[in-house]
mmCIF file of all heavy atoms in Angstrom:
data_model
loop_
_atom_site.group_PDB
_atom_site.id
_atom_site.type_symbol
_atom_site.label_atom_id
_atom_site.label_comp_id
_atom_site.label_asym_id
_atom_site.label_seq_id
_atom_site.Cartn_x
_atom_site.Cartn_y
_atom_site.Cartn_z
ATOM 1 N N LEU T 558 -1.952 26.582 -18.794
ATOM 2 C CA LEU T 558 -0.699 27.412 -18.577
ATOM 3 C C LEU T 558 -0.904 28.574 -17.729
ATOM 4 O O LEU T 558 0.060 29.049 -17.077
ATOM 5 C CB LEU T 558 -0.181 27.858 -19.993
ATOM 6 C CG LEU T 558 0.204 26.793 -20.953
ATOM 7 C CD1 LEU T 558 0.714 27.352 -22.271
ATOM 8 C CD2 LEU T 558 1.297 25.865 -20.358
ATOM 9 N N GLY T 559 -2.111 29.143 -17.657
ATOM 10 C CA GLY T 559 -2.363 30.186 -16.654
ATOM 11 C C GLY T 559 -2.013 31.620 -17.087
ATOM 12 O O GLY T 559 -1.620 31.809 -18.283
ATOM 13 N N TYR T 560 -2.122 32.496 -16.191
ATOM 14 C CA TYR T 560 -2.049 33.976 -16.498
ATOM 15 C C TYR T 560 -0.772 34.386 -17.038
ATOM 16 O O TYR T 560 -0.644 35.174 -17.987
ATOM 17 C CB TYR T 560 -2.271 34.690 -15.155
ATOM 18 C CG TYR T 560 -2.102 36.190 -15.241
ATOM 19 C CD1 TYR T 560 -3.039 37.021 -15.787
ATOM 20 C CD2 TYR T 560 -0.898 36.784 -14.756
ATOM 21 C CE1 TYR T 560 -2.867 38.347 -15.886
ATOM 22 C CE2 TYR T 560 -0.660 38.132 -14.788
ATOM 23 C CZ TYR T 560 -1.674 38.908 -15.376
ATOM 24 O OH TYR T 560 -1.451 40.312 -15.443
ATOM 25 N N ALA T 561 0.331 33.786 -16.580
ATOM 26 C CA ALA T 561 1.687 34.188 -17.012
ATOM 27 C C ALA T 561 1.926 33.971 -18.501
ATOM 28 O O ALA T 561 2.638 34.658 -19.182
ATOM 29 C CB ALA T 561 2.804 33.411 -16.230
ATOM 30 N N PHE T 562 1.240 32.937 -19.075
ATOM 31 C CA PHE T 562 1.398 32.565 -20.487
ATOM 32 C C PHE T 562 0.301 33.234 -21.322
ATOM 33 O O PHE T 562 0.326 33.049 -22.589
ATOM 34 C CB PHE T 562 1.364 31.056 -20.655
ATOM 35 C CG PHE T 562 2.471 30.272 -20.054
ATOM 36 C CD1 PHE T 562 2.561 29.959 -18.686
ATOM 37 C CD2 PHE T 562 3.595 29.945 -20.827
ATOM 38 C CE1 PHE T 562 3.523 29.248 -18.150
ATOM 39 C CE2 PHE T 562 4.650 29.203 -20.277
ATOM 40 C CZ PHE T 562 4.629 28.859 -18.949
ATOM 41 N N ALA T 563 -0.583 33.967 -20.733
ATOM 42 C CA ALA T 563 -1.830 34.389 -21.418
ATOM 43 C C ALA T 563 -1.688 35.673 -22.259
ATOM 44 O O ALA T 563 -2.541 35.911 -23.066
ATOM 45 C CB ALA T 563 -2.966 34.541 -20.397
ATOM 46 N N GLY T 564 -0.709 36.527 -21.978
ATOM 47 C CA GLY T 564 -0.665 37.789 -22.699
ATOM 48 C C GLY T 564 0.746 38.267 -22.920
ATOM 49 O O GLY T 564 1.714 37.583 -22.686
ATOM 50 N N ARG T 565 0.765 39.544 -23.308
ATOM 51 C CA ARG T 565 2.055 40.147 -23.639
ATOM 52 C C ARG T 565 2.401 41.417 -22.857
ATOM 53 O O ARG T 565 3.281 42.201 -23.286
ATOM 54 C CB ARG T 565 2.089 40.437 -25.134
ATOM 55 C CG ARG T 565 2.028 39.208 -26.039
ATOM 56 C CD ARG T 565 3.306 38.374 -25.930
ATOM 57 N NE ARG T 565 3.248 37.207 -26.758
ATOM 58 C CZ ARG T 565 2.943 36.050 -26.294
ATOM 59 N NH1 ARG T 565 2.490 35.913 -25.108
ATOM 60 N NH2 ARG T 565 2.924 34.988 -27.108
ATOM 61 N N SER T 566 1.685 41.675 -21.768
ATOM 62 C CA SER T 566 1.953 42.856 -20.961
ATOM 63 C C SER T 566 3.295 42.683 -20.303
ATOM 64 O O SER T 566 3.799 41.592 -20.157
ATOM 65 C CB SER T 566 0.908 43.021 -19.931
ATOM 66 O OG SER T 566 0.983 41.991 -18.916
ATOM 67 N N LEU T 567 3.878 43.864 -19.877
ATOM 68 C CA LEU T 567 5.158 43.806 -19.225
ATOM 69 C C LEU T 567 5.106 42.898 -17.931
ATOM 70 O O LEU T 567 6.049 42.097 -17.633
ATOM 71 C CB LEU T 567 5.608 45.193 -18.850
ATOM 72 C CG LEU T 567 6.941 45.322 -18.078
ATOM 73 C CD1 LEU T 567 8.145 44.725 -18.880
ATOM 74 C CD2 LEU T 567 7.223 46.775 -17.756
ATOM 75 N N LYS T 568 4.031 43.069 -17.231
ATOM 76 C CA LYS T 568 3.805 42.268 -15.983
ATOM 77 C C LYS T 568 3.823 40.750 -16.287
ATOM 78 O O LYS T 568 4.498 39.966 -15.605
ATOM 79 C CB LYS T 568 2.568 42.628 -15.261
ATOM 80 C CG LYS T 568 2.265 41.900 -14.007
ATOM 81 C CD LYS T 568 0.945 42.288 -13.413
ATOM 82 C CE LYS T 568 0.672 41.496 -12.085
ATOM 83 N NZ LYS T 568 -0.621 41.911 -11.501
ATOM 84 N N GLN T 569 3.164 40.412 -17.408
ATOM 85 C CA GLN T 569 3.103 38.979 -17.744
ATOM 86 C C GLN T 569 4.422 38.495 -18.219
ATOM 87 O O GLN T 569 4.771 37.328 -17.988
ATOM 88 C CB GLN T 569 2.035 38.765 -18.759
ATOM 89 C CG GLN T 569 0.594 38.791 -18.195
ATOM 90 C CD GLN T 569 -0.484 38.849 -19.230
ATOM 91 O OE1 GLN T 569 -0.415 39.557 -20.173
ATOM 92 N NE2 GLN T 569 -1.493 38.069 -19.056
ATOM 93 N N LYS T 570 5.201 39.313 -18.962
ATOM 94 C CA LYS T 570 6.495 38.895 -19.477
ATOM 95 C C LYS T 570 7.464 38.633 -18.309
ATOM 96 O O LYS T 570 8.216 37.657 -18.280
ATOM 97 C CB LYS T 570 7.084 39.947 -20.392
ATOM 98 C CG LYS T 570 6.346 40.010 -21.756
ATOM 99 C CD LYS T 570 6.942 41.070 -22.673
ATOM 100 C CE LYS T 570 6.250 41.091 -23.974
ATOM 101 N NZ LYS T 570 6.756 42.187 -24.904
ATOM 102 N N LEU T 571 7.379 39.541 -17.313
ATOM 103 C CA LEU T 571 8.303 39.399 -16.145
ATOM 104 C C LEU T 571 7.891 38.149 -15.315
ATOM 105 O O LEU T 571 8.726 37.408 -14.903
ATOM 106 C CB LEU T 571 8.165 40.621 -15.188
ATOM 107 C CG LEU T 571 8.758 41.942 -15.825
ATOM 108 C CD1 LEU T 571 8.507 43.148 -14.871
ATOM 109 C CD2 LEU T 571 10.295 41.793 -16.007
ATOM 110 N N LEU T 572 6.553 38.011 -15.173
ATOM 111 C CA LEU T 572 6.079 36.800 -14.424
ATOM 112 C C LEU T 572 6.435 35.508 -15.166
ATOM 113 O O LEU T 572 6.788 34.511 -14.561
ATOM 114 C CB LEU T 572 4.525 36.917 -14.281
ATOM 115 C CG LEU T 572 3.876 35.835 -13.419
ATOM 116 C CD1 LEU T 572 4.488 35.768 -12.044
ATOM 117 C CD2 LEU T 572 2.350 36.063 -13.341
ATOM 118 N N LEU T 573 6.289 35.517 -16.517
ATOM 119 C CA LEU T 573 6.649 34.320 -17.288
ATOM 120 C C LEU T 573 8.096 33.964 -17.077
ATOM 121 O O LEU T 573 8.496 32.809 -16.941
ATOM 122 C CB LEU T 573 6.350 34.596 -18.739
ATOM 123 C CG LEU T 573 6.701 33.473 -19.700
ATOM 124 C CD1 LEU T 573 5.942 32.146 -19.284
ATOM 125 C CD2 LEU T 573 6.325 33.842 -21.122
ATOM 126 N N VAL T 600 4.803 23.805 -25.510
ATOM 127 C CA VAL T 600 5.333 25.005 -24.874
ATOM 128 C C VAL T 600 6.419 24.601 -23.831
ATOM 129 O O VAL T 600 7.476 25.268 -23.752
ATOM 130 C CB VAL T 600 4.163 25.773 -24.186
ATOM 131 C CG1 VAL T 600 4.771 26.854 -23.183
ATOM 132 C CG2 VAL T 600 3.237 26.433 -25.167
ATOM 133 N N LYS T 603 9.506 23.676 -25.627
ATOM 134 C CA LYS T 603 10.136 24.825 -26.253
ATOM 135 C C LYS T 603 11.064 25.611 -25.210
ATOM 136 O O LYS T 603 12.105 26.051 -25.583
ATOM 137 C CB LYS T 603 8.989 25.804 -26.797
ATOM 138 C CG LYS T 603 9.616 27.102 -27.294
ATOM 139 C CD LYS T 603 8.414 28.068 -27.724
ATOM 140 C CE LYS T 603 8.885 29.417 -28.035
ATOM 141 N NZ LYS T 603 7.823 30.341 -28.420
ATOM 142 N N PHE T 604 10.493 25.730 -24.019
ATOM 143 C CA PHE T 604 11.238 26.439 -22.946
ATOM 144 C C PHE T 604 12.103 25.523 -22.111
ATOM 145 O O PHE T 604 12.660 25.928 -21.113
ATOM 146 C CB PHE T 604 10.225 27.097 -22.012
ATOM 147 C CG PHE T 604 9.550 28.291 -22.681
ATOM 148 C CD1 PHE T 604 8.127 28.457 -22.590
ATOM 149 C CD2 PHE T 604 10.198 29.274 -23.336
ATOM 150 C CE1 PHE T 604 7.462 29.527 -23.190
ATOM 151 C CE2 PHE T 604 9.560 30.282 -23.976
ATOM 152 C CZ PHE T 604 8.217 30.492 -23.896
ATOM 153 N N PRO T 722 -5.637 30.161 -21.404
ATOM 154 C CA PRO T 722 -4.891 28.923 -21.638
ATOM 155 C C PRO T 722 -5.362 27.734 -20.793
ATOM 156 O O PRO T 722 -4.937 27.530 -19.698
ATOM 157 C CB PRO T 722 -3.423 29.332 -21.198
ATOM 158 C CG PRO T 722 -3.431 30.796 -21.162
ATOM 159 C CD PRO T 722 -4.764 31.220 -20.752
ATOM 160 N N LYS T 763 -11.644 35.599 -29.828
ATOM 161 C CA LYS T 763 -12.030 37.020 -29.790
ATOM 162 C C LYS T 763 -12.679 37.433 -31.079
ATOM 163 O O LYS T 763 -12.577 38.605 -31.556
ATOM 164 C CB LYS T 763 -10.796 37.915 -29.522
ATOM 165 C CG LYS T 763 -10.115 37.580 -28.242
ATOM 166 C CD LYS T 763 -8.960 38.594 -28.033
ATOM 167 C CE LYS T 763 -8.220 38.245 -26.761
ATOM 168 N NZ LYS T 763 -7.108 39.222 -26.447
#
Side-chain angles (χ1 to χ4, degrees):
L558 296 183
Y560 173 79
F562 292 84
R565 295 292 179 267
S566 70
L567 178 60
K568 180 181 178 181
Q569 285 170 313
K570 289 179 180 178
L571 293 172
L572 184 58
L573 178 57
V600 169
K603 174 185 174 183
F604 291 131
K763 301 183 182 182

